[in-house]
Every structure is written in C-alpha cells, then in structure tokens.
Amino acid sequence: METKKYSSYAEIDHDIKALKAERDFHYQKIVQSIDKTKQSIIPSKSVSLVGEIYKKATGGIIGTVLKIAVPYAVNWFINRKRGN
C-alpha cells in the first residue's frame, strides 16, 4: 500500500472526516447485527408461555411421576425389539 502524500491540511482533514464516517457506518452495522442476533436468541412470548405451561403441568406429584416415567418410556420405545 502506497503512502499518500498530502499538499495541504485541508486534504488531511477531508480524509480524516471520511475515515471517521466510514468507521461510524461500520460500527452501526455491527450494532444492528448484534441486535438482530439478540432478537433471534431471546425466546418469544409464545415460547415463554409454553415453558410456563410445562412448569405448571410438571408440578406436584403427577409432574414428579411424569418426570421419572417419561424418560424410561422413551428409552423403552427406542430400544424395544421389533417383531420378525
């Protein structure tokens, strides 16, 4: 990369302003990208509602029994032998 030779302070000032504007533009793009990523990671209200329903359904004695029984049932279903 060649070094640029300036003939006046006005040219230097112009290039500095252009570089600052470019830096600000790229900074804003990064901020927008981070915001979009946050929105895609944070669960929506509907997902939160499903989580709350799950917590209510698995609470109490029935919920405890289901938490114990469901993994065994799934494991049995996956590992069962198929008939010939």
Side-chain angles (χ1 to χ4, degrees):
M1 183 172 163
E2 288 185 38
T3 57
K4 187 172 181 180
K5 295 189 181 188
Y6 295 99
S7 60
S8 69
Y9 287 111
E11 290 179 14
I12 296 171
D13 193 39
H14 179 267
D15 281 355
I16 289 174
K17 287 180 183 178
L19 289 171
K20 283 182 180 179
E22 186 177 349
R23 182 186 65 188
D24 290 341
F25 174 75
H26 288 293
Y27 177 77
Q28 290 300 324
K29 283 180 69 173
I30 290 171
V31 169
Q32 286 178 349
S33 172
I34 291 171
D35 287 341
K36 286 180 182 179
T37 304
K38 282 182 185 178
Q39 289 175 358
S40 67
I41 291 175
I42 296 173
S44 65
K45 290 182 180 181
S46 60
V47 173
S48 298
L49 179 63
V50 170
E52 290 177 20
I53 292 171
Y54 174 76
K55 285 180 184 177
K56 288 180 182 178
T58 58
I61 296 172
I62 296 173
T64 305
V65 171
L66 284 175
K67 284 181 184 178
I68 294 170
V70 168
Y72 285 113
V74 169
N75 192 22
W76 172 82
F77 184 75
I78 291 172
N79 294 324
R80 67 188 167 121
K81 293 182 180 179
R82 305 228 163 131
N84 291 337

